[in-house]
Amino acid sequence: MYGETEGIVPLQPTVYYMRDLFGEFNPTIYIGKEKKQVTDFTEHRQTFEDCLRACLDSLFHPDVSFTRTSLSRTCSYCSFAGICGT
């Protein structure tokens, strides 16, 4: 992985909001109440991987059924609304 290569610069994570991509756009991620800018992913890698794994495990767990949102208005933006019958 990138983080395991020697002599590399810190990897700064960003989030791209597609709705804002061509307007005023700031991909910077801030964390905590003090809004500290995240400039090195290494500090947050393990927590991110743990949370991502827990989320994916939940999504793909065979004993956990999919439940639709109770907010039908949200479905109007979803490309998959037809699949779940909304």
Side-chain angles (χ1 to χ4, degrees):
M1 287 193 74
Y2 180 83
E4 297 168 356
T5 306
E6 290 185 35
I8 59 168
V9 296
L11 184 64
Q12 180 176 354
T14 58
V15 175
Y16 290 93
Y17 298 100
M18 298 307 289
R19 292 181 184 163
D20 299 334
L21 195 56
F22 298 105
E24 286 291 318
F25 179 67
N26 180 4
T28 306
I29 295 177
Y30 300 93
I31 194 166
K33 292 180 181 179
E34 63 280 350
K35 302 286 186 188
K36 180 183 174 198
Q37 182 178 355
V38 178
T39 57
D40 188 358
F41 180 67
T42 307
E43 300 171 22
H44 307 281
R45 179 180 172 188
Q46 191 60 53
T47 302
F48 175 80
E49 286 182 8
D50 292 344
C51 291
L52 178 61
R53 189 171 312 279
C55 181
L56 292 174
D57 287 346
S58 171
L59 285 172
F60 292 102
H61 194 286
D63 297 331
V64 178
S65 62
F66 173 78
T67 54
R68 291 186 282 184
T69 180
S70 60
L71 306 171
S72 59
R73 181 175 165 202
T74 303
C75 298
S76 65
Y77 302 104
C78 181
S79 301
F80 303 102
I83 293 174
C84 65
T86 56

